[in-house]
Amino acid sequence: MGIRTVAVHSDVDANAVHVKMADEAVCVGPAPTSQSYLNMDAILDAVRDTKSQAVHPGYGFLSENKEFAKRLAKECVTFIGPDTHAIQAMGDKIESKLIAKAAKVNTIPGFDGVVKTPEEAVKIAQDIGYPVMIKASAGGGGKGMRVAWNDEDTREGFRFSSQEAASSFGDDRLLIEKYIDNPRHIEIQVLADKHGNAVWLNERECSIQRRNQKVVEEAPSTFLDSETRRAMGEQAVQLAKAVQYSSAGTVEFLVDSSKNFYFLEMNTRLQVEHPITECITGLDLVEQMIRVAKGYQLQHKQEDIPINGWAFESRVYAEDPYKSFGLPSIGRLSQYQEPTDLNNVRVDSGIEEGSDISIYYDPMISKLITYGATRAEALTKMEDALDNYVIRGVTHNIPLLREIITHPRFISGDISTNFLPEVYPDGFKGHQLQVGQQRELVASAAALYITAQLTFQNVRGNLRVPSIPVESSCWRLSAQLGEQWHDVEVNKSGPIYTVHIDGERVEVHGQWNLASPLLPLTINSKHRMLQCLSRDASGNIVLQYLGTSFKVRILSKLAAKLNAYMPDKVPEDTSSILRSPMPGTVVAVTVKPGDKVAEGQEICVIEAMKMQNSMTAVKQAKVKRVHCKPGETVGEGDLLVELE
């Protein structure tokens, strides 16, 4: 658009991508958000110093803060978003619900006031009827939200929700409403100008969630028919007009199995998942926000808004998906390669190779967006994009994302906000290999092992004794996958390996580039994109296959025979110790040495990326030692408490 930009950043984000992309950059404080990205004084100083005419607040932090918008107005600086009246009306969940009712928008039954104490919360919850949702009045992004099924859940939910709300939004007010079991989360994108015009830009299906935070989104929804879509869109526009809304905004609805829909909240900002709406409508929402803020009328009427094709967004997080579907991971991105060489793939990210993922901010690495003429085409593209996405240095959730999008229930559109706990009731375990897939994986590892041995042979001056006879064109090996050992015979002819595993034949052909993180192979005529995550001199090869990392050990027959005499490492007794499952800050320690604790009793609370996590005892025991105290920073695996 030809507009010069100024990026604000904290000191730890001095080398962030958005800083490098902007024309100018200003540091607004140290890492903690309260001292930088939520520091209005420092940001306003940056506005004055750079003579900025407008501020786009992004997705979080001050994007829905009416005080910030008011202070910008006093400085005669344009806030690229709605007026303060709309921010206040829709930002407060209690007030927004009353306005929605008055605007004839369907609403969820609940208590229309502020809940002040845990006991008051219990009484209200009993009146409404369990289950109920306790949530922060000023909240968003899944922060400060808890489902309560009984009185005890309500007391605990009140405590955690108010603490998270205060930490994330500086406002600990809560409200309670009926929890609609097994719903879909479908939102309508609206766009309005300062001249009374407003349109709805179709819907986004955001039902795949963990801890009330979205993981995979798509547009349009498989569930809505044109009549329901129009009804939801018209109600969303009615609500926007009721508060004289101007800018891009999102009205979120819960939709039950009978297609009854209920107003949930309105986000008075750009949504993280806005790219999928851009894909199917052809509109650039940020450009439209800037035009509206400048005072221009909308360029489009409702009949101009199309649904062209299908789009998906996967939120790629620095998280361990095997822990509660995603507990934060920190570290430095030692290798990072986005799959942007594929057609119809878009990656919106704020990081690059060498970037640090810290405990201070949201653990999102990027938004991976794919587009296709049909839903099936967009899904296949997402599968390819996830397989081609290279991330090293932090634990990430690509295994979970790939399993979600290839699951039969997701492919058929049979989803709800309970999808993850229903599909993985015992937690996410990664891809479960079928027998044929086990053979594919072992064959690929064996072929890679032989390729590496032959490469070592060709290195000039190499004095290493090879672990297999390299002059042969046929090798007999043993391979371990999980607890099972397999007899493997490998034959090589040019770039093609023929591998016999326990008598079954697998043909592997590919570009054997040991320096590349990607391993494009053709296995029994099927194209597969594998990634070699690591390999060592002991024959251990870790491959990312179908999204999940698997360890395969390849040994010569002699080495496998001798391996039987190696002592096994005794696993740690995890029932007598409590280790931190993630990096974070200790918020509270509720026990001391000598205390007796019951199974399930809270021992301490860890806060990571603004989410509070209660650490509990796995058995009845006595506290032996406490190794942490409130305010301390802990790393993943750090010892917190010993029990006896």
Side-chain angles (χ1 to χ4, degrees):
M1 295 178 75
I3 300 171
R4 288 176 60 79
T5 54
V6 179
V8 294
H9 63 90
S10 67
D11 55 7
V12 295
D13 278 347
N15 294 313
V17 172
H18 77 286
V19 173
K20 294 177 181 178
M21 290 175 72
D23 297 295
E24 297 177 61
V26 179
C27 181
V28 289
T33 54
S34 60
Q35 300 171 47
S36 52
Y37 295 112
L38 291 173
N39 185 344
M40 292 188 212
D41 292 336
I43 293 170
L44 285 163
D45 285 342
V47 169
R48 293 184 202 103
D49 292 345
T50 58
K51 297 182 173 57
S52 294
Q53 298 164 292
V55 172
H56 194 298
Y59 306 121
F61 298 126
L62 298 172
S63 61
E64 295 179 280
N65 189 299
K66 63 182 183 294
E67 290 305 317
F68 182 57
K70 280 180 185 174
R71 291 183 66 175
L72 285 174
K74 280 184 186 174
E75 301 280 337
C76 297
V77 174
T78 302
F79 178 76
I80 301 176
D83 295 335
T84 54
H85 162 70
I87 297 174
Q88 178 167 345
M90 292 294 99
D92 187 308
K93 288 189 174 68
I94 296 163
E95 188 180 347
S96 67
K97 195 170 175 182
L98 295 172
I99 293 169
K101 275 184 181 176
K104 295 185 170 51
V105 176
N106 305 346
T107 58
I108 301 170
F111 178 67
D112 294 331
V114 177
V115 186
K116 297 186 176 69
T117 66
E119 294 313 314
E120 186 186 356
V122 168
K123 184 178 183 306
I124 292 165
Q126 290 171 345
D127 291 343
I128 295 170
Y130 288 109
V132 298
M133 172 71 85
I134 303 166
K135 57 186 182 182
S137 176
K143 307 288 195 302
M145 296 175 72
R146 289 289 192 281
V147 177
W149 297 85
N150 53 48
D151 293 355
E152 190 52 44
D153 282 355
T154 302
R155 291 186 187 94
E156 188 177 273
F158 183 92
R159 178 163 68 96
F160 279 124
S161 292
S162 58
Q163 287 172 359
E164 283 179 9
S167 169
S168 296
F169 315 111
D171 183 343
D172 64 357
R173 293 175 306 142
L174 301 177
L175 72 152
I176 299 179
E177 62 191 16
K178 181 71 177 173
Y179 176 64
I180 296 174
D181 207 8
N182 221 38
R184 285 175 178 256
H185 183 135
I186 300 177
E187 60 191 28
I188 300 288
Q189 176 72 58
V190 295
L191 184 64
D193 62 22
K194 298 178 189 294
H195 305 276
N197 303 305
V199 293
W200 46 275
L201 308 180
N202 303 310
E203 79 279 6
R204 294 185 290 257
E205 170 80 70
C206 307
S207 296
I208 306 296
Q209 303 182 1
R210 52 103 180 87
R211 298 192 298 278
N212 298 307
Q213 290 181 309
K214 300 159 191 171
V215 180
V216 177
E217 301 104 341
E218 65 179 296
S221 168
T222 58
F223 190 61
L224 297 190
D225 52 55
S226 57
E227 189 179 324
T228 309
R229 176 178 295 118
R230 187 183 308 108
M232 291 174 72
E234 287 172 353
Q235 285 199 15
V237 166
Q238 282 167 218
L239 182 61
K241 288 185 173 180
V243 290
Q244 294 90 50
Y245 195 87
S246 63
S247 193
T250 298
V251 181
E252 300 191 347
F253 293 95
L254 287 182
V255 185
D256 68 18
S257 56
S258 302
K259 294 185 181 170
N260 299 308
F261 56 91
Y262 304 95
F263 169 71
L264 188 61
E265 64 181 0
M266 183 174 190
N267 289 303
T268 57
R269 55 173 170 84
L270 189 68
Q271 290 281 81
V272 171
E273 59 274 16
H274 76 275
I276 55 176
T277 296
E278 295 184 336
C279 287
I280 66 165
T281 62
L283 270 67
D284 185 320
L285 292 184
V286 177
E287 181 184 9
Q288 296 302 319
M289 290 178 79
I290 294 170
R291 285 180 54 83
V292 167
K294 180 67 176 170
Y296 292 119
Q297 291 197 36
L298 294 185
Q299 296 172 299
H300 305 87
K301 292 188 164 44
Q302 191 61 57
E303 57 269 23
D304 301 331
I305 308 302
I307 298 182
N308 290 328
W310 217 283
F312 287 92
E313 175 181 284
S314 291
R315 298 194 184 194
V316 181
Y317 282 103
E319 289 183 336
D320 185 344
Y322 300 97
K323 296 178 179 177
S324 303
F325 299 113
L327 290 184
S329 167
I330 61 170
R332 177 164 292 171
L333 289 162
S334 56
Q335 197 169 13
Y336 183 73
Q337 188 175 306
E338 296 173 348
T340 46
D341 56 329
L342 302 176
N343 290 331
N344 291 331
V345 172
R346 166 177 166 180
V347 183
D348 287 12
S349 65
I351 50 87
E352 59 190 351
E353 193 163 288
S355 293
D356 287 312
I357 306 294
S358 73
I359 64 170
Y360 297 109
Y361 312 119
D362 191 276
M364 186 187 286
I365 292 173
S366 73
K367 300 178 295 181
L368 178 63
I369 302 108
T370 60
Y371 173 77
T374 63
R375 187 173 188 265
E377 185 184 318
L379 262 182
T380 301
K381 188 64 72 175
M382 180 61 76
E383 201 176 322
D384 291 343
L386 289 168
D387 285 342
N388 281 271
Y389 207 145
V390 177
I391 303 171
R392 306 280 191 275
V394 296
T395 307
H396 56 76
N397 69 332
I398 282 178
L400 175 62
L401 294 172
R402 199 184 188 283
E403 284 300 292
I404 289 169
I405 65 154
T406 55
H407 194 279
R409 267 189 62 180
F410 185 86
I411 292 170
S412 68
D414 176 20
I415 59 175
S416 74
T417 55
N418 295 323
F419 177 88
L420 289 178
E422 285 174 0
V423 171
Y424 308 106
D426 301 319
F428 179 66
K429 309 291 185 189
H431 183 75
Q432 303 302 300
L433 292 170
Q434 298 166 1
V435 174
Q437 293 171 342
Q438 289 179 7
R439 285 198 287 266
E440 281 190 16
L441 178 60
V442 170
S444 302
L448 183 64
Y449 176 80
I450 297 298
T451 300
Q453 294 295 330
L454 295 175
T455 303
F456 294 151
Q457 178 194 20
N458 295 329
V459 175
R460 186 174 295 171
N462 181 23
L463 301 178
R464 286 183 57 182
V465 177
S467 56
I468 56 162
V470 291
E471 66 278 358
S472 172
S473 61
C474 176
W475 298 268
R476 288 179 174 81
L477 307 167
S478 289
Q480 183 185 22
L481 175 61
E483 299 299 316
Q484 285 188 304
W485 283 91
H486 303 272
D487 291 322
V488 178
E489 183 181 292
V490 182
N491 293 276
K492 184 177 187 297
S493 175
I496 300 174
Y497 287 92
T498 303
V499 185
H500 287 86
I501 302 162
D502 301 330
E504 296 287 337
R505 184 176 184 274
V506 180
E507 192 173 275
V508 185
H509 176 264
Q511 301 171 24
W512 301 99
N513 181 356
L514 299 178
S516 171
L518 296 173
L519 200 58
L521 300 178
T522 302
I523 309 172
N524 285 349
S525 303
K526 285 182 288 199
H527 295 291
R528 301 282 197 202
M529 180 61 78
L530 281 70
Q531 295 188 31
C532 181
L533 304 183
S534 68
R535 53 188 173 81
D536 61 26
S538 303
N540 294 308
I541 298 173
V542 179
L543 292 175
Q544 184 175 305
Y545 169 73
L546 302 177
T548 297
S549 300
F550 295 97
K551 180 181 172 183
V552 184
R553 193 170 190 198
I554 307 290
L555 297 174
S556 66
K557 286 289 185 186
L558 176 61
K561 186 178 177 182
L562 295 174
N563 187 66
Y565 298 99
M566 296 293 287
D568 290 328
K569 184 179 177 182
V570 179
E572 186 176 51
D573 179 12
T574 54
S575 66
S576 298
I577 56 170
L578 184 67
R579 293 189 181 276
S580 179
M582 76 212 108
T585 304
V586 179
V587 175
V589 179
T590 55
V591 297
K592 60 183 186 300
D595 285 357
K596 290 183 179 175
V597 293
E599 183 181 344
Q601 183 179 329
E602 182 178 287
I603 290 178
C604 63
V605 178
I606 306 291
E607 183 177 285
M609 277 84 168
K610 301 181 189 172
M611 295 294 283
Q612 296 200 354
N613 302 272
S614 177
M615 304 289 107
T616 58
V618 296
K619 67 177 183 181
Q620 186 174 336
K622 185 179 176 183
V623 177
K624 185 178 179 182
R625 289 191 190 88
V626 177
H627 295 272
C628 62
K629 57 187 178 184
E632 278 187 349
T633 300
V634 293
E636 182 181 354
D638 283 4
L639 183 60
L640 302 174
V641 175
E642 291 181 72
L643 304 173
E644 60 182 1

